Amino acid sequence: MIDRKDLLELISVPFKLEGLKPRFIRVSSAHISGISYNNIREEGLELLKEILSSGLRITVPTTINPGFCELEEQDCDKETYKKQLEIIETFKKLGAKPTLSCIPYLLGNIPKKGDHIAWAESNAVLYTNSVIGAWSNKESGLTALASAILGITSFYGVHLEEGRVPKVKVNFNFELSDEVDAGLAGFVLGKIVKDSIPFVSNSFKNRYDLIEFLASVGTSGVIPLVVIEGITPISVSKDYLNQIQSLSIGEEEINKAKSSLENLKSEEDAILMGCPHLSLKEVEDLLKLNRKRDKDIFIFVPKEVKAVVEKKYSKELKDKNIKLVSDSCILWGGIVSRNYRKVVTNSVKGAYYLRNVLKVEVGIRRKSEIMDV
Amino acid sequence: MSKIKKFKIRWISFKEFEGEVIKSSTPISFLGGIDPKTGIITDSTNSLYGKSIKNKVLLMPFGIGSTVGSYIIYALKKNLTAPIAVITYKSDVIVPSGCAISRIPYGLLSYNDWLEIEDHALIKTEKEDEILVSL
């Protein structure tokens, strides 16, 4: 039996650890991570079922992250598929919208500037704080679910104006020429700034590169927000920026990060793109290009994007041997069931987790190395 | 004759208890490090390898590893293999959350106080911010 008091105790943890009286604020939405059976396992599923059978229900608009399998294709082993379905059914009964996507900020759960929200999934938290200006701390799957039920979150961190003030300026001493450069820069930045909110200039060529940058910050770091000049709706004076600590990231650091993330020793079995999930625009951009490498390409997308693209571009998908996968994270059961041991991806976050969670050999390849740009 | 000493402590999910300490000198990952069915430490690199944390006061530096560790703590509680309480000198994102949802008292001690408490010591809650320890 789990009751509201237990959930309140859970979201009070940051205050109680400091010996402070907890303070809360209402949230207008929630987004929950920890959906994949490969991640939360039997113990996670049991806890979700316990929350459901205790009679607790979600009270604010709530979406959920991708799982481990594509539901229609049933592309993982039978037992895992059954458990994955059970997790999703439990979330539906709790009252979540089964979006199974990690880009709720583009599709399915778009917050407004100034909203207070309780989101898990670090890439989504970084995007909503840094681009939209709707505020969320980096919640865990459990605390986001608790807030979805209670309708409140702990009032600390970026929910407070003083928690959104940048404390360190980070300069890039090289051109972020594509999504991999942006991803690697984010990966290095997340590590070096520790828990200080950074300020960076807008060095990104397009939205895709920006998303890859933020996703990598969330992978290597703890910060929920990067203040980006001209993008983040937070004003910082020039005088203030001249006073704070300044750090630099150069080409040498990102090359070092790249080689520390890669361990591919021979040719790959498959190419994986879409970590975070690609939106319709990004898939359309890709389909205009011819492919360079002769391996299966899998692109991870929300199911709404898959439906549109498969209808509109069936010929291109077939000719280019590109498969869209929905409902699933890039940490995908299909990699295991197909016995792929070696993969390449253009996502730095994807590379990190593919290597460390699925234990496959990983190479990082730019979109320009995969497709003829 | 053992000496009794008082220590200041900060609690999540406080309730009164009394129990024997099992102390790990190294951080523990609940995912992969402890079998939720038995409460036995399965991490072969841990000094408590093969021992059970069931009904003990688990003293450890802090939690490490996957955040799924929070769910493992709940599974331990449900399987009746959980520790009576968990006490660390540093907090992390896994153990306090897991304890909060599982109604297992989680205490935060200063590093020096944590060092003073040894394996097999007896701990009893005194006031909400104080424990009595037999040294």
Side-chain angles (χ1 to χ4, degrees), chain A residues 3 6 9 17 39 44 50, chain B residues 10 13 68 71 74 78 103:
Chain A
D3 60 28
D6 297 323
E9 187 74 10
L17 289 175
N39 173 2
E50 183 85 15
Chain B
R10 212 169 259 170
S13 300
V68 178
Y71 300 95
Y74 187 78
K78 206 156 181 210
R103 300 182 193 170

Side-chain angles (χ1 to χ4, degrees), chain A residues 34-41 64-85 87-88 100-101 277 300 325-338 353-354 357-360:
Chain A
I35 308 302
S36 168
Y37 181 66
N38 187 54
N39 173 2
I40 67 168
R41 301 164 196 233
I64 58 174
N65 243 11
F68 194 54
C69 322
E70 172 145 37
L71 298 181
E72 248 174 55
E73 307 275 331
Q74 303 194 15
D75 51 9
C76 47
D77 73 84
K78 259 197 182 147
E79 186 56 24
T80 306
Y81 178 77
K82 224 180 85 195
K83 295 288 185 187
Q84 184 62 71
L85 216 54
I87 292 171
I88 296 165
L100 298 167
S101 150
H277 277 177
F300 295 81
V325 182
S326 65
D327 316 323
S328 178
C329 171
I330 203 166
L331 301 178
W332 173 43
I335 296 170
V336 183
S337 64
R338 283 169 175 77
Y353 285 112
L354 283 160
V357 178
L358 289 192
K359 312 281 182 204
V360 290

